[in-house]
C-alpha cells in the first residue's frame, strides 16, 4: 500500500509541474517576454529548495518504482493501455536527459539564469532538438494522461467530467507546441542582432572551456548510464525468473476448461495473462479496483490471508470470504477459480456489488406468510391495510432480532429469514424454532391490540428447513442484500405453503428438528412432495408453536429475554 501511495503522490507532483510547464509554453503564442515572466514566477516554486527536492525527488522515485515494477513482473504481457504507459515511462528519461542538463544542471554548475530566449534559441536552431523537444512533450503528456485516466476512471464522478478533461488533454499540448513554434519564430528575429545574441548567451560564454566540455559530454554519460541500468534490471529479472522456475508450480482450473500451470510466486492475474486468457483488470493489477476478483473453489483453505491492501478493496465491495483479487493472490497449491467480472469490463464494474457473490453454508431458513392478506385488502382502505401490515412486519422484525434471525427477503405479505449465519447450523435451527414460537406469541398480542380493527384475527404460516445453500450479496447494485438461494431454500418456501394444506401454523422438516435436537414425534408427521425432488421431505405439522417452546434446549438464554 505504501508503494502504491508513493507512486501516486510522486506522480501527482510531476503532473502539477508538467501542467504548469506546458501552460508556460502556451504563453509563447503571445511573446517570449510573457513566457519569461511566467517562468520566473514558476521558478519561485520549483527552484525553491523545497520545490527542487519535491520535483527531482519525485522524478527519481517515480523512475525507480517503474524499474522495480519491471523487475517484479512475472510476465510482460499487459493490456495495450498499460503497455503504452509503461513504454512511454521508460522512454522519458532518455528524452529528458538533454533538457534537464541544458537547463537545471547548466544553472547549478555554471551559475547563470537559464532563460526562455536562451533555451528556445538553442532548441529551435538545432535540427536534433527541434524534433526531440516536441517529441518529449508528446511522450510526457501521453504518459501523464494515460496514467491519470486509468487512475481516475474508477471514480464515480470521473465519467461526468471526461468531455471537459478530454478537451483539456488535447488543447494543452497543442497550444504548448504552437507556443514553442511561435517563440522559435521570434528568436529568428532576435539572432539577427549580434548584441542580442551576446546577451542571450552571456552566461554560457562566461564558462571556461572545461566547464563547457563537461556539460556537453554529460548527456552521453547519462544516456549510457540509463541504458546500463535498464539492461541490468532486465538481466536481473531474467535471472530471477530462471531461479523461480526451478521451484515447484501450482495449477489453476479455469471455467473455460483450461488448466494453467504457473510458478509459485506468480499471481493468478499474471498467470492468466501469461497463458493468454483474457481477465478483467481495470487498474492494471494494483488493487485499486476489484474487477479482477475471482471466486475460489478448491484450494481456498490453502491460500494465505489477504494483505492489508487486498482486504481494504474486498471490504469496499462487501466480498464473500471465498472471493479474492487475482492481482494480489499468489497460490502455493492448486486452485479452481471463477472470474466474477467479464474480461472486457469497464471502470463501472470496479465497485459494482450487483449479481450473486456467495459461498456455500449450512443455514436454517424460515418463510413467513400472512394469511388472508388479499381479503384484508378488499375489506379495508389502502392506508388501513398499510397500517396493519406495518404493525405486523414491525413485530416480525422484532422477533427476528430477539432470536438472532437475519431478514433476507420481503415479498408483499411475507418474508424470508436466515438463522445460523454466525452461530452454526445447530444453534440456527434452535433459534429458528424459538423465532416461530416468538412470532406466534407476538401475533397474538398484535391481534389483541388491534381488536375491533380486525373482523377476524391475523394468522400466519411458517415453514422451517435447513441445509446447504449459497449465501451472499444479491440483488441490484443500488440495493444489494445478504440472502440465500438453493434447493433447500425452495424446500423451506414449499413447507410454508403446506401450512394451508395441513391447516396449521408451523411446518418443520424432520431434518431441521433433528438438527435442533428437538423431538417432535408427538405432532402429526407427513411426507411432503416438493417440485423438482424425487424423494419426499419428512415434516411435522404444528398447529400451535407455543407447544414446542418447552422442547427447545436454550443454549443462549439471553436470546429470548428481549422478546419477553
Amino acid at each position: 500500500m505504501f508503494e502504491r501511495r508513493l507512486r501516486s503522490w510522486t506522480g501527482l507532483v510531476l503532473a502539477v509541474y508538467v501542467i504548469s510547464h506546458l501552460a508556460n509554453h502556451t504563453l509563447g503564442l503571445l511573446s517570449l517576454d510573457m513566457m519569461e515572466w511566467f517562468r520566473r514566477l514558476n521558478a519561485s516554486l520549483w527552484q525553491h529548495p523545497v520545490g527542487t527536492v519535491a520535483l527531482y525527488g519525485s522524478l527519481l522515485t517515480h523512475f525507480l518504482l517503474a524499474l522495480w515494477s519491471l523487475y517484479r513482473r512475472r510476465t510482460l504481457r499487459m493490456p495495450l493501455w498499460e503497455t503504452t504507459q509503461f513504454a512511454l515511462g521508460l522512454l522519458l528519461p532518455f528524452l529528458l536527459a538533454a533538457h534537464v542538463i541544458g537547463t537545471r544542471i547548466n544553472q547549478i554548475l555554471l551559475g547563470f539564469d537559464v532563460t526562455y530566449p536562451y533555451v528556445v534559441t538553442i532548441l529551435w536552431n538545432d535540427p536534433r532538438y527541434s524534433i526531440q523537444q516536441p517529441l518529449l512533450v508528446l511522450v510526457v503528456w501521453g504518459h501523464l494522461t494515460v496514467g491519470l485516466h486509468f487512475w481516475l476512471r474508477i471514480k464515480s464522478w470521473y465519467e461526468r467530467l471526461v468531455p471537459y478533461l478530454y478537451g483539456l488533454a488535447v488543447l494543452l499540448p497543442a497550444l504548448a507546441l504552437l507556443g514553442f513554434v511561435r517563440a522559435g519564430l521570434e528568436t529568428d528575429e532576435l539572432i539577427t542582432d549580434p548584441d542580442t545574441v551576446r546577451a542571450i548567451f552571456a552566461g554560457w560564454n562566461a564558462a571556461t572551456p572545461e566547464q563547457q566540455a563537461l556539460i556537453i559530454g554529460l548527456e552521453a554519460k547519462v544516456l549510457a548510464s540509463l541504458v546500463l541500468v535498464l539492461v541490468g534490471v532486465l538481466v536481473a529479472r531474467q535471472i530471477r525468473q530462471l531461479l523461480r522456475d526451478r521451484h515447484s508450480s501450482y495449477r489453476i482450473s479455469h471455467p473455460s476448461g483450461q488448466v494453467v500451470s504457473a510458478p509459485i510466486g506468480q499471481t493468478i492475474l499474471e498467470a492468466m495473462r501469461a497463458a493468454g486468457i483474457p481477465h478483467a483488470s481495470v487498474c492494471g493489477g494494483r488493487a485499486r479496483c476489484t474487477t479482477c476478483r475471482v471466486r475460489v473453489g478448491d484450494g481456498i483453505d490453502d491460500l494465505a490471508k489477504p494483505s492489508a491492501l487486498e482486504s481494504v478493496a474486498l471490504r469496499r465491495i462487501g466480498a464473500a470470504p471465498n472471493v479474492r483479487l487475482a492481482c494480489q493472490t499468489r497460490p502455493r497449491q492448486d486452485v479452481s477459480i471463477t472470474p466474477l467480472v467479464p474480461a472486457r469490463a469497464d471502470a463501472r464494474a470496479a465497485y459494482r456489488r450487483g449479481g450473486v457473490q456467495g459461498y456455500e453454508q449450512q443455514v436454517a431458513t424460515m418463510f413467513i406468510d400472512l394469511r388472508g392478506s388479499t381479503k384484508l385488502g378488499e375489506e379495508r382502505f389502502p392506508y388501513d391495510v398499510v397500517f396493519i401490515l406495518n404493525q405486523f412486519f414491525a413485530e416480525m422484525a422484532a422477533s427476528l432480532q430477539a432470536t438472532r434471525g437475519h431478514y433476507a427477503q420481503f415479498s408483499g405479505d411475507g418474508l424470508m429469514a436466515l438463522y445460523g449465519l454466525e452461530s452454526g447450523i445447530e444453534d440456527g435451527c434452535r433459534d429458528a424454532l424459538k423465532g416461530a414460537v416468538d412470532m406466534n406469541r407476538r401475533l397474538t398480542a398484535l391481534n389483541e391490540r388491534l381488536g375491533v380493527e380486525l373482523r377476524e384475527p391475523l394468522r400466519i404460516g411458517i415453514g422451517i428447513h435447513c441445509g446447504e445453500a449459497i449465501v451472499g450479496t444479491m440483488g441490484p447494485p443500488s440495493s444489494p442484500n445478504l440472502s440465500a438461494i438453493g434447493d433447500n431454500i425452495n424446500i423451506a418456501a414449499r413447507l410454508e405453503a403446506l401450512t394451508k394444506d395441513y391447516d396449521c401454523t408451523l411446518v418443520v422438516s424432520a431434518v431441521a428438528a433433528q438438527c435442533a435436537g428437538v423431538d417432535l414425534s408427538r405432532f402429526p408427521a407427513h411426507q411432503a412432495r416438493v417440485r423438482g425432488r424425487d424423494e419426499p421431505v419428512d415434516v411435522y405439522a404444528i398447529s400451535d408453536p407455543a407447544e414446542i417452546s418447552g422442547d427447545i434446549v436454550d443454549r443462549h438464554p439471553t436470546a429470548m429475554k428481549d422478546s419477553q
Side-chain angles (χ1 to χ4, degrees):
M1 185 175 291
F2 173 75
E3 179 185 335
R4 189 183 77 178
R5 289 178 177 174
L6 189 60
R7 180 183 287 108
S8 298
W9 282 110
T10 55
L12 284 175
V13 170
L14 295 174
V16 171
Y17 175 78
V18 168
I19 291 172
S20 67
H21 199 55
L22 292 186
N24 200 159
H25 283 194
T26 64
L27 294 178
L29 290 169
L30 301 177
S31 68
L32 263 174
D33 290 338
M34 286 297 297
M35 291 179 76
E36 180 60 19
W37 170 80
F38 192 81
R39 182 196 70 82
R40 293 181 184 279
L41 187 65
N42 224 11
S44 64
L45 170 63
W46 298 112
Q47 292 184 14
H48 185 277
V50 175
T52 299
V53 171
L55 175 60
Y56 290 98
S58 295
L59 182 62
L60 178 61
T61 302
H62 213 66
F63 180 60
L64 291 177
L65 287 174
L67 294 177
W68 176 245
S69 176
L70 177 63
Y71 169 74
R72 286 191 311 173
R73 283 183 177 272
R74 267 69 175 187
T75 175
L76 294 180
R77 288 192 179 185
M78 296 175 277
L80 179 60
W81 72 265
E82 196 175 351
T83 303
T84 301
Q85 188 192 21
F86 212 81
L88 292 177
L90 292 177
L91 181 61
L92 264 177
F94 294 91
L95 294 174
L96 196 59
H99 189 65
V100 173
I101 292 170
T103 54
R104 196 75 175 104
I105 301 300
N106 247 349
Q107 186 168 332
I108 293 173
L109 295 183
L110 303 185
F112 71 91
D113 191 21
V114 178
T115 64
Y116 257 110
Y118 171 82
V119 173
V120 174
T121 300
I122 293 176
L123 296 179
W124 183 251
N125 291 280
D126 187 306
R128 172 197 164 190
Y129 292 134
S130 63
I131 296 174
Q132 183 172 315
Q133 185 66 16
L135 180 61
L136 173 60
V137 170
L138 295 177
V139 170
V140 168
W141 192 246
H143 178 73
L144 186 151
T145 51
V146 170
L148 284 178
H149 172 69
F150 284 94
W151 176 45
L152 295 175
R153 69 173 182 165
I154 62 175
K155 308 294 184 182
S156 58
W157 49 264
Y158 177 66
E159 191 172 359
R160 298 192 301 271
L161 298 180
V162 164
Y164 308 102
L165 295 176
Y166 184 81
L168 176 64
V170 173
L171 278 176
L172 185 57
L175 293 176
L177 290 175
L178 288 174
F180 171 69
V181 172
R182 167 66 180 75
L185 293 174
E186 187 174 342
T187 62
D188 285 342
E189 299 178 6
L190 293 178
I191 61 176
T192 59
D193 181 7
D195 292 334
T196 302
V197 173
R198 281 194 295 271
I200 291 174
F201 291 96
W204 173 258
N205 292 332
T208 65
E210 292 78 13
Q211 289 176 318
Q212 292 179 350
L214 174 64
I215 295 294
I216 293 172
L218 194 56
E219 182 185 357
K221 295 176 182 178
V222 171
L223 292 178
S225 299
L226 288 173
V227 170
L228 288 176
V229 169
L230 185 57
V231 170
V233 170
L234 292 173
V235 171
R237 177 182 175 276
Q238 191 63 33
I239 293 173
R240 180 171 179 258
Q241 282 188 308
L242 292 174
L243 293 175
R244 183 198 65 203
D245 291 344
R246 291 183 179 180
H247 296 83
S248 56
S249 60
Y250 68 93
R251 293 185 302 172
I252 304 172
S253 298
H254 193 267
S256 64
Q258 294 177 271
V259 177
V260 177
S261 181
I264 290 178
Q266 193 171 67
T267 67
I268 293 175
L269 178 61
E270 289 171 333
M272 293 296 100
R273 286 178 171 177
I277 299 176
H279 196 99
S281 178
V282 168
C283 72
R286 299 168 185 168
R288 292 188 56 249
C289 72
T290 60
T291 51
C292 70
R293 61 186 181 269
V294 296
R295 182 168 60 244
V296 182
D298 296 337
I300 182 66
D301 295 331
D302 297 321
L303 293 177
K305 292 183 178 180
S307 65
L309 186 64
E310 183 182 4
S311 296
V312 169
L314 292 174
R315 280 198 303 271
R316 194 173 297 172
I317 61 166
N322 63 342
V323 173
R324 299 293 299 269
L325 297 188
C327 69
Q328 301 297 307
T329 306
R330 304 177 189 274
R332 301 187 66 85
Q333 303 291 336
D334 295 351
V335 293
S336 63
I337 64 167
T338 302
L340 296 177
V341 177
R344 297 188 179 276
D346 58 16
R348 284 172 289 187
Y351 297 111
R352 186 172 294 154
R353 295 171 178 256
V356 178
Q357 298 182 34
Y359 50 93
E360 294 180 350
Q361 183 176 349
Q362 295 276 344
V363 292
T365 308
M366 171 192 288
F367 277 86
I368 307 106
D369 183 65
L370 178 63
R371 296 283 179 256
S373 59
T374 302
K375 185 177 180 181
L376 184 67
E378 294 172 351
E379 297 174 347
R380 293 284 188 275
F381 288 114
Y383 284 111
D384 294 332
V385 175
V386 170
F387 170 76
I388 293 172
L389 288 178
N390 283 339
Q391 295 289 310
F392 168 72
F393 282 114
E395 293 297 334
M396 297 302 102
S399 183
L400 287 178
Q401 184 176 6
T403 57
R404 302 194 301 169
H406 169 76
Y407 160 77
Q409 286 182 14
F410 167 76
S411 58
D413 56 0
L415 59 86
M416 166 186 162
L418 300 175
Y419 283 87
L421 291 175
E422 298 179 359
S423 60
I425 188 62
E426 291 83 4
D427 284 343
C429 288
R430 279 187 288 271
D431 288 339
L433 292 176
K434 288 188 290 185
V437 173
D438 191 54
M439 288 175 182
N440 190 64
R441 182 188 65 79
R442 288 175 181 271
L443 186 65
T444 301
L446 178 61
N447 283 326
E448 292 176 358
R449 288 203 309 271
L450 293 177
V452 295
E453 294 289 331
L454 301 172
R455 294 186 180 181
E456 57 184 55
L458 299 176
R459 297 179 58 212
I460 56 173
I462 303 174
I464 297 176
H465 182 57
C466 71
E468 194 171 78
I470 301 298
V471 179
T473 303
M474 306 176 191
S478 59
S479 56
N481 186 39
L482 182 67
S483 188
I485 57 174
D487 186 46
N488 288 309
I489 306 300
N490 298 334
I491 292 175
R494 174 60 178 154
L495 298 191
E496 178 274 312
L498 287 174
T499 58
K500 297 178 182 178
D501 297 342
Y502 300 150
D503 191 25
C504 63
T505 299
L506 173 63
V507 173
V508 183
S509 69
V511 174
Q514 181 181 4
C515 197
V518 176
D519 182 8
L520 300 180
S521 59
R522 68 182 185 279
F523 296 98
H526 302 272
Q527 286 193 325
R529 290 288 178 181
V530 178
R531 183 180 300 176
R533 287 178 62 94
D534 295 331
E535 297 295 326
V537 178
D538 294 327
V539 300
Y540 297 103
I542 303 167
S543 297
D544 184 3
E547 295 181 33
I548 68 171
S549 59
D551 298 308
I552 305 171
V553 178
D554 193 356
R555 296 187 180 182
H556 302 278
T558 59
M560 288 288 289
K561 284 183 180 179
D562 294 336
S563 67
Q564 299 301 321

